[in-house]
Amino acid sequence: MALPMLPHPHLIVLRSAATVVLSCLIAQAGWAAAVLGGEAQFARNHEVGAWVTLAATVGSALLYVLLRTSAGAVNVALAVVLAGAVVAQFTLGHTGQRALHIFLGVLVAMLGTALTSWTYRHALPEDPGA
């Protein structure tokens, strides 16, 4: 029995980036839930996680733009929109707009899930010269 072929290295990088971003988003939701549930000691984790999530998301969007030919238009658009939403989310958190911050957090989680799903389903475009 032969082992399955690994995907193209670009797809491995893109899928890894999407997975890291989604993991950050889920962690942030967990820290937020703990704080909202009365565990105020986890607020610092959420604050530090915001910086990590911001860096991961913006870095991921840059990766998608750099590998745009391999990523495809939908994935690039999702990655860039997600990065913009996380910047807005970060700003809302720092300005104390709690209700909007929570609402946008749900949308950000949905965008992160969509990006991950689309990235894992994506195949490289066929090479017309081959």
Side-chain angles (χ1 to χ4, degrees):
M1 175 178 219
L3 293 175
M5 294 284 296
L6 284 175
H8 188 278
H10 289 183
L11 290 179
I12 293 172
V13 168
L14 293 168
R15 290 171 181 175
S16 297
T19 301
V20 167
V21 167
L22 187 60
S23 297
C24 289
L25 296 174
I26 291 168
Q28 280 300 91
W31 296 128
V35 173
L36 291 172
E39 302 293 331
Q41 71 269 24
F42 293 113
R44 184 73 180 139
N45 298 55
H46 189 65
E47 292 168 8
V48 171
W51 286 101
V52 173
T53 302
L54 180 66
T57 307
V58 170
S60 176
L62 289 173
L63 261 174
Y64 274 83
V65 169
L66 287 172
L67 298 176
R68 65 187 165 274
T69 303
S70 297
V74 171
N75 287 332
V76 171
L78 281 170
V80 170
V81 168
L82 177 59
V86 168
V87 168
Q89 175 74 345
F90 185 87
T91 303
L92 289 170
H94 277 276
T95 58
Q97 303 295 318
R98 197 171 197 177
L100 286 174
H101 180 74
I102 293 167
F103 177 72
L104 184 58
V106 173
L107 298 179
V108 163
M110 293 169 62
L111 275 170
T113 302
L115 175 63
T116 305
S117 178
W118 277 86
T119 299
Y120 272 86
R121 291 185 208 168
H122 182 70
L124 290 181
E126 295 295 323
D127 184 6

